Amino acid sequence: MNSSSLSGSFGLDTSMLPKHVAIIMDGNGRWAEKRLMNRIKGHEAGSEAVRTTVRTCREIGISVLTLYAFSTENWQRPKIEITALMTLLKKFLDSEKKEMMENNIRLNAIGQIEKLPENVRKALKKTMDLTQSNKGMLLNLALSYGGRSEIVDMVKIISAKAKDGKIDPDLITDEFVADHLYTAGMPDPDLLIRTSGEMRISNFLLWQIAYSEIFITDTLWPDFGKEELVKIILDFQNRERRFGNVG
Ligand code: FPP
């Protein structure tokens, strides 16, 4: 099958795939509440949806998948919920190592990683080191991530370089800024998906989504599956992206 033919099992045009898909995984709490369950059960079910989504993106041929797993604001949640999320994250990192190696997936993390508990940082480093040469897909977990903090960090780095005379401020371009964000070297997301129907960006990839196509689904994250992801990518393939130009 050549690169421009339809990929049989998904009906997608493989020549028009989004390179980078970013997802705001929302609705775990509501999913659990609807079932009269503890919110943590919703996060557990959400972890399963993470596994399915990673697998599906790899099968489809997505190059970069960024998942908003924990925001800078999520530290304000009850301690018991934070601990549960960190435990689930560690479990995911430990249990998915094998599959990431088998499927040629590289793991990366963006955010204020130093704020994560030590056992999670260690598990992250271990899996990132193990998978560092994998080229099939980059799985980028946004952890203790905030778009504003990322921009503040970028300004600090660039202004320190300017102060030391290492750069000429006149040479600061869009590309230069992008190269000083946590996502340096990655393409901007072509497609941003948010589950649970909320019409918000919630401090996610503020710079990088300037021209992303946005898709909001009412589905709660634990119910998000392969079929819906494929449908959203089909919708993406039918959109006209103009990047501020005329059609
Ligand atoms: C939003 O739902 C979801 C989160 C804050 C965390 C996302 C975490 C997971 C999907 C599971 C663990 C992650 C990995 C990578 C294994 P919410 O709690 O805000 O839901 P609500 O808006 O319905 O309350």
Side-chain angles (χ1 to χ4, degrees), residues 90-222:
K90 172 143 185 348
K91 263 195 199 155
F92 173 83
L93 294 168
D94 293 339
S95 68
E96 296 311 288
K97 273 194 300 240
K98 189 163 165 270
E99 190 163 332
M100 284 188 214
M101 289 309 288
E102 282 166 5
N103 292 320
N104 201 13
I105 296 172
R106 176 161 77 89
L107 180 77
N108 184 55
I110 55 169
Q112 298 176 334
I113 305 307
E114 67 286 356
K115 298 209 169 133
L116 298 171
E118 196 189 354
N119 65 339
V120 175
R121 271 187 282 130
K122 276 193 179 156
L124 251 184
K125 184 171 179 334
K126 208 167 166 186
T127 309
M128 280 167 58
D129 287 349
L130 180 74
T131 60
Q132 66 180 337
S133 306
N134 292 349
K135 302 268 186 290
M137 181 175 91
L138 173 64
L139 170 60
N140 207 21
L141 293 182
L143 297 170
S144 189
Y145 174 88
R148 287 187 172 178
S149 309
E150 179 180 34
I151 290 172
V152 169
D153 284 350
M154 172 272 293
V155 171
K156 282 184 183 160
I157 297 169
I158 295 183
S159 53
K161 284 186 184 174
K163 186 168 162 245
D164 294 346
K166 290 190 184 132
I167 53 160
D168 173 354
D170 288 341
L171 298 180
I172 298 175
T173 58
D174 282 13
E175 289 71 27
F176 191 83
V177 167
D179 284 345
H180 289 79
L181 294 171
Y182 304 150
T183 49
M186 299 175 203
D188 285 341
D190 303 290
L191 175 61
L192 171 69
I193 301 170
R194 179 170 191 144
T195 57
S196 94
E198 308 286 356
M199 305 283 183
R200 287 193 284 273
I201 297 300
S202 299
N203 203 12
F204 190 42
L205 302 175
L206 297 179
W207 169 278
Q208 297 89 337
I209 60 167
Y211 282 102
S212 302
E213 292 297 321
I214 300 179
F215 196 102
I216 295 178
T217 167
D218 286 335
T219 304
L220 302 175
W221 175 252

